[in-house]
Amino acid sequence: MQVHDRITRRVDSALHRHHDLSLTGFEALRRIAESPGERTSMGDVAEAVGLSRPGVTSTIGRLVAQGLVVRERGDGDRRLLHARLTPAGRQRVEEAAVTHDEMVAHLLGLLGDDVAVVTDALARVSAATRERR
């Protein structure tokens, strides 16, 4: 098993256990929470989280079923769907962010003096994957 998979599974497990959220669900909620008016298009969520169209539909569907998000039609283009955070969603993402961020900080702390080198390398890889080709 790769290091990334182990870290992802550990964070995902903690989020499930403490907040009844998958890591993907948390990332989607965080993206929506950070958007203007706590509302964003399904396409933006998919791109930010790295999901396919069916994947984002499924993830948002689970969040809607939990009462954390509502789907809304776009103001200008009624064909576009947006996801908006509910008050319960705001509370859940705020609580889950503490667990997520503490766990990531703990895992990065295990790197000791190498943390700056590793986080810089990961930031460069992340930036490169966002570049359009």
Side-chain angles (χ1 to χ4, degrees), residues 5-89:
D5 292 339
R6 288 183 184 172
I7 292 169
T8 300
R9 287 179 193 210
R10 191 161 175 194
V11 174
D12 183 70
S13 177
L15 289 170
H16 269 293
R17 192 171 49 254
H18 299 293
H19 306 286
D20 192 27
L21 276 177
S22 67
L23 179 55
T24 302
F26 167 74
E27 290 174 340
L29 280 179
R30 186 175 253 186
R31 172 68 177 122
I32 298 164
E34 292 172 348
S35 298
E38 296 181 335
R39 180 179 186 264
T40 191
S41 73
M42 301 289 270
D44 286 345
V45 174
E47 185 175 325
V49 180
L51 293 172
S52 64
R53 183 175 298 245
V56 76
T57 298
S58 176
T59 297
I60 296 298
R62 284 190 296 277
L63 297 173
V64 167
Q66 290 181 302
L68 306 176
V69 169
V70 293
R71 286 189 185 105
E72 300 177 330
R73 290 283 169 199
D75 296 330
D77 186 344
R78 303 293 295 163
R79 295 171 296 175
L80 288 179
L81 270 179
H82 288 82
R84 183 177 48 81
L85 214 55
T86 64

